[in-house]
Amino acid sequence: MVKKILAILLLFPALLCAQINTERVMTIARNALYFEDYVLSIQYFNQVINAKPYLFEPYFFRGLAKINLEDFQGAEADCDKAIQRNPFVVGAYQIRGLARIRQNKFDGAIEDYQTALKYDPENLVLWHNLSLCHMRKEDYDSAKEDLGKLLAISPRYTPAYLMRGEVYLKQNDTIQALNDFEKAIELDRYDPDGWSARAIVRIQQGKYKEAEADLDQAIHLSARNAGNYINRALARFHQNNLRGAMSDYDLALDIDPNNFLGHYNRGLLRAQVGDDNRAIEDFDFVLQIEPDNMMATFNRGLLRAQTGDYRGAISDYSKVIDAYPNFMAGYYQRAQARKKIGDAKGAEQDEFKIMKMQIDKRNNAASGNADKDMADNSDSSKDDSKTRKKSDKNVENYRKIVIADDSEFEQRYTSDYRGRVQDRNVIIKQEPMYALTYYEKVSDVKRTVHFHRYIDELNRSKLFPKMLRITNMEAPLTEEQVRFHFALIDSHTSDIVADDHNAVKRFMRGLDFYLVQDFASSVDDFTKSILLDDTFFPAYFMRALVRCKQLEYQKAEESMEGGNAPTTVGGINNNNAKKSEVTTIDYNIVRDDLNHVVELAPDFVYGYYNRGNVSTLLKDYRAAVADYDKAIELNPEFGEAYFNRGLVHIYLGNNKQGLQDLSKAGELGIVSAYNVIKRFTDRSE
């Protein structure tokens, strides 16, 4: 018994609670953080904090994990502790500033960014967020000053022109705003934000045809932005293109089914073209969101009367009249509806009320609030504009198209606070590698079940605690799942001590180590599994995947210079472990494992696919195309293989072939393919 316990301790040294190897646990924790397994990473950071509470790094990284889980108060508290332990960490001020922004503590955030800029004065992310904080506080002069400094550091940083253009709009300087938006388009014509920003200015200037052309371009570059369709519908409406406007509202509501403006305005347009029943559906939806919206209620009443539902119409008219007792059109419409159902007395009362209001208006006899309401209504009747602001509550404007208020009429970048340098731009990248795991994210678009005969046999054997899945959409673990797999590691360790020559048991524990992001232990177990049975191809497959993830993380650590890395003054990274550079040899080792996979299981399509990904990373594009060709030959419906092969063809300059593959990938459910197609279509012509 004593020997067994000693053996367990020797096999499992890294997770001992009494005296942990904090450097190793920090590495595992940062692995989990990098691969977005935030709940798990927090568990590891807790271990390091318990062992060495004087270190600043675990508090900083735990704060970063919490901010990704939207625990902004907890993130701020962790950054406080990190700064107490080391007040010269730029990243801690940056993340605390972001946490404070999310809690609307803009003064505190500004203070954090200004402090961080003393240590790192050329950090674009800090200038970006500082500018946005000043914009949110409506301190536009300070925002312009910040953006001027940002552009002095990086003259081609297009978001700064977009932000400064918005500041000019806030100050009603449309000429300067237009200049900045045009400069942003000139610098990056593939950024949809520049086109949509200029379109908004042109709508405000009444240049609807030019605005529509700009929005066409913005939609071409980013087809999943509901706001662009809403704005193009407005431009088309002003050009009397009602069908085109309704089509845009349809598209916007496909993307954002709860969009208020889309439903309200589509309801108005449907009413104009006689599509009354579907217009009622739109106003029903609006009233579910805003039950007290009297203009939507009145419009629905008109439509109900039009379709013969007079009692429903009377109910709607009555609600409006209760809210606006001097709304003459309400009494008139209710009188007409009451006549239709034979309520002559009610109709007579409404007509008498209308007559009295007309006499009072003519004699200027109205008084008090009634006089004010009548004056307001009278003024509004002189307003010839076709639109009204969403905040406009004047019921006389019930027939007008609704546009967003100025506070809402802003671009996406106004809330695009930057938390990580690597998130600055949307990067075109290949679909990820496949893994054997127990957990998979659910996709609303793609519902493919991946299958291989041997993996199915392993599942039928009932050896594994859960069903093995083949997926490239791995799901992060919940807290309960983390505890489950730590317990499994203990259980498997006991089994291995009892039977040290079982390759499958080693593989199972390696898989558990992989799921809790302990990559080094995972590789050790997969290696041992291979040594015990060199025909067991899942061990080669998973070892290749884990090694590739280790290299990806290592490269990210090497390239991190200021974003999330806890850099000190002078940009020195505080991680004491010296990192060696990732080399071609490292990736060739990964590819060698995948060579074994396809030799042992030539029908295992995911081996070819993963090897194609590795070859792409090595810039061995011909070999990558050959592997994707084989994967598609084995599975003609393999969307990810088409997508990645399409990218490789584009890298090789074969845009036409690449776009064909991307089109097929989109057809098979890889939605991001369409964005790539739009970016490269004009280059292939």
Side-chain angles (χ1 to χ4, degrees):
M1 183 63 183
V2 174
K3 288 183 179 178
K4 185 176 286 192
I5 293 171
L6 285 173
I8 291 172
L9 295 178
L10 288 170
L11 285 165
F12 197 41
L15 298 174
L16 289 175
C17 294
Q19 186 176 358
I20 66 169
N21 182 335
T22 53
E23 188 175 316
R24 182 157 182 247
V25 175
M26 272 296 293
T27 300
I28 297 168
R30 291 181 68 174
N31 277 339
L33 181 63
Y34 178 79
F35 290 107
E36 301 180 1
D37 210 339
Y38 303 120
V39 173
L40 176 62
S41 70
I42 287 172
Q43 306 303 312
Y44 284 121
F45 291 131
N46 289 344
Q47 290 184 40
V48 180
I49 288 168
N50 289 334
K52 295 184 178 179
Y54 51 85
L55 295 177
F56 80 88
E57 278 192 305
Y59 286 105
F60 168 78
F61 286 112
R62 190 174 71 176
L64 184 54
K66 285 179 179 178
I67 209 167
N68 280 286
L69 292 168
E70 300 188 10
D71 177 8
F72 304 122
Q73 190 173 346
E76 183 182 1
D78 275 344
C79 288
D80 286 344
K81 290 172 182 173
I83 290 168
Q84 286 169 12
R85 286 155 178 77
N86 187 342
F88 303 106
V89 181
V90 172
Y93 292 103
Q94 180 180 339
I95 300 305
R96 187 172 70 177
L98 192 60
R100 285 174 166 174
I101 285 168
R102 300 304 185 192
Q103 299 173 79
N104 294 320
K105 298 178 179 178
F106 296 107
D107 289 327
I110 288 169
E111 184 182 332
D112 275 336
Y113 291 126
Q114 288 174 339
T115 302
L117 283 166
K118 291 177 184 176
Y119 303 136
D120 190 1
E122 296 189 358
N123 188 311
L124 301 186
V125 175
L126 298 174
W127 284 112
H128 180 111
N129 287 1
L130 179 61
S131 303
L132 286 173
C133 286
H134 279 132
M135 288 170 70
R136 287 294 298 272
K137 284 178 59 64
E138 299 184 2
D139 183 358
Y140 299 129
D141 290 334
S142 295
K144 282 195 295 188
E145 184 181 347
D146 293 337
L147 291 165
K149 292 176 181 177
L150 196 164
L151 288 169
I153 297 166
S154 179
R156 299 187 64 82
Y157 187 68
T158 55
Y161 289 103
L162 295 173
M163 287 189 286
R164 192 170 67 180
E166 187 187 336
V167 171
Y168 282 125
L169 278 183
K170 294 288 188 183
Q171 297 178 317
N172 297 317
D173 189 345
T174 54
I175 294 174
Q176 290 292 347
L178 204 55
N179 288 340
D180 273 340
F181 295 149
E182 286 174 348
K183 182 65 175 178
I185 292 169
E186 178 190 329
L187 290 171
D188 185 1
R189 61 192 302 268
Y190 296 103
D191 181 357
D193 288 341
W195 298 98
S196 56
R198 189 172 71 177
I200 287 173
V201 178
R202 287 178 164 173
I203 287 173
Q204 292 175 347
Q205 293 176 329
K207 298 178 179 178
Y208 302 116
K209 188 174 181 180
E210 292 93 331
E212 183 179 355
D214 279 347
L215 289 163
D216 287 344
Q217 189 66 25
I219 289 166
H220 175 74
L221 293 167
S222 179
R224 301 297 297 172
N225 186 327
N228 286 336
Y229 291 104
I230 295 289
N231 290 337
R232 190 172 70 176
L234 180 62
R236 287 176 166 178
F237 169 76
H238 280 290
Q239 297 174 80
N240 296 316
N241 180 4
L242 300 189
R243 295 288 180 185
M246 277 196 291
S247 172
D248 274 340
Y249 287 129
D250 288 341
L251 291 166
L253 291 168
D254 284 342
I255 298 165
D256 180 9
N258 297 320
N259 190 289
F260 172 88
L261 297 181
H263 281 288
Y264 188 96
N265 291 341
R266 188 175 68 177
L268 286 179
L269 295 183
R270 281 175 166 175
Q272 285 189 42
V273 300
D275 191 356
D276 296 335
N277 288 313
R278 292 206 299 164
I280 289 171
E281 290 175 7
D282 276 328
F283 286 117
D284 283 343
F285 187 90
V286 169
L287 289 168
Q288 284 177 12
I289 300 171
E290 295 186 7
D292 297 328
N293 190 311
M294 290 299 112
M295 281 176 267
T297 303
F298 189 68
N299 278 305
R300 187 177 68 177
L302 293 173
L303 290 161
R304 282 175 163 176
Q306 195 78 13
T307 57
D309 179 11
Y310 298 112
R311 294 189 186 279
I314 290 168
S315 173
D316 282 341
Y317 298 147
S318 297
K319 288 177 185 175
V320 176
I321 289 168
D322 288 343
Y324 296 92
N326 294 292
F327 181 41
M328 197 179 297
Y331 290 102
Y332 174 79
Q333 294 296 342
R334 189 169 70 177
Q336 298 304 307
R338 281 175 166 174
K339 287 178 183 178
K340 295 289 185 180
I341 65 170
D343 182 5
K345 184 178 179 181
E348 188 177 316
Q349 288 174 346
D350 283 339
E351 288 174 340
F352 179 77
K353 179 69 175 177
I354 293 169
M355 185 175 65
K356 184 177 183 304
M357 289 168 68
Q358 288 173 335
I359 293 170
D360 288 345
K361 184 178 180 182
R362 207 163 30 239
N363 296 331
N364 197 24
S367 61
N369 291 330
D371 183 49
K372 182 178 184 300
D373 289 342
M374 289 298 293
D376 289 344
N377 291 342
S378 176
D379 290 343
S380 68
S381 65
K382 298 175 185 177
D383 182 2
D384 295 329
S385 67
K386 295 182 176 181
T387 61
R388 67 174 177 87
K389 295 286 179 67
K390 186 181 175 184
S391 58
D392 180 1
K393 301 301 181 186
N394 190 334
V395 73
E396 296 285 348
N397 293 329
Y398 66 91
R399 289 189 183 276
K400 293 183 177 181
I401 290 287
V402 183
I403 61 174
D405 294 325
D406 291 338
S407 61
E408 297 177 10
F409 213 12
E410 298 175 352
Q411 297 302 302
R412 177 189 60 78
Y413 50 79
T414 58
S415 60
D416 184 19
Y417 294 99
R418 301 285 165 80
R420 295 191 286 187
V421 173
Q422 61 267 36
D423 288 344
R424 232 173 57 198
N425 298 308
V426 176
I427 300 169
I428 297 173
K429 59 182 179 180
Q430 55 185 193
E431 285 291 295
M433 294 170 74
Y434 274 78
L436 294 172
T437 182
Y438 301 127
Y439 308 104
E440 182 177 20
K441 288 179 185 174
V442 177
S443 169
D444 293 331
V445 179
K446 195 163 59 76
R447 300 183 183 275
T448 307
V449 176
H450 298 284
F451 173 84
H452 184 262
R453 174 181 47 79
Y454 185 73
I455 304 303
D456 186 52
E457 288 174 8
L458 287 176
N459 283 327
R460 288 171 186 265
S461 71
K462 305 292 186 184
L463 291 171
F464 290 81
K466 292 177 176 285
M467 182 176 289
L468 275 176
R469 300 173 185 271
I470 308 169
T471 182
N472 71 337
M473 296 175 62
E474 298 177 75
L477 271 59
T478 64
E479 196 167 345
E480 183 181 345
Q481 289 165 346
V482 169
R483 288 196 297 267
F484 174 71
H485 285 285
F486 276 131
L488 274 182
I489 289 170
D490 290 337
S491 174
H492 290 322
T493 301
S494 300
D495 291 343
I496 289 167
V497 171
D499 181 7
D500 194 28
H501 298 287
N502 190 312
V504 175
K505 287 181 180 177
R506 282 282 185 174
F507 176 80
M508 289 164 66
R509 192 177 71 170
L511 194 54
D512 289 317
F513 275 126
Y514 167 70
L515 289 169
V516 299
Q517 302 287 342
D518 186 349
F519 290 164
S521 298
S522 177
V523 168
D524 288 344
D525 271 341
F526 291 142
T527 301
K528 183 64 174 175
S529 179
I530 290 165
L531 292 172
L532 292 169
D533 181 359
D534 61 5
T535 66
F536 188 59
F537 77 84
Y540 287 106
F541 183 72
M542 286 303 297
R543 187 171 71 175
L545 174 74
V546 177
R547 282 175 168 169
C548 203
K549 287 199 171 189
Q550 285 179 308
L551 296 174
E552 180 186 339
Y553 171 71
Q554 191 176 331
K555 283 200 299 184
E557 285 288 283
E558 289 169 3
S559 64
M560 196 95 66
E561 293 178 355
N564 283 339
T567 52
T568 55
V569 182
I572 301 168
N573 193 294
N574 286 278
N575 189 354
N576 294 323
K578 187 178 180 180
K579 295 181 178 64
S580 58
E581 291 186 4
V582 175
T583 65
T584 302
I585 295 171
D586 296 315
Y587 281 109
N588 278 326
I589 292 170
V590 174
R591 188 156 60 172
D592 186 58
D593 272 346
L594 292 166
N595 291 341
H596 282 93
V597 172
V598 298
E599 287 169 12
L600 293 166
D603 62 337
F604 190 62
V605 63
Y606 312 100
Y608 296 102
Y609 171 87
N610 281 10
R611 190 171 67 177
N613 279 25
V614 175
S615 294
T616 303
L617 291 170
L618 285 165
K619 295 185 170 51
D620 187 355
Y621 298 133
R622 304 294 176 188
V625 168
D627 276 331
Y628 294 135
D629 287 346
K630 183 64 178 178
I632 291 166
E633 178 190 327
L634 290 169
N635 179 6
E637 302 296 304
F638 199 169
E640 289 88 349
Y642 281 105
F643 182 88
N644 288 357
R645 189 175 71 177
L647 290 184
V648 172
H649 278 308
I650 287 172
Y651 298 154
L652 290 168
N654 305 326
N655 280 22
K656 187 174 181 181
Q657 289 174 275
L659 293 174
Q660 286 175 350
D661 276 344
L662 290 168
S663 176
K664 182 65 176 177
E667 179 187 316
L668 293 170
I670 312 298
V671 178
S672 56
Y674 294 112
N675 183 265
V676 183
I677 289 169
K678 285 169 186 171
R679 292 194 188 195
F680 285 93
T681 296
D682 59 339
R683 300 182 190 181
S684 64
E685 293 171 353

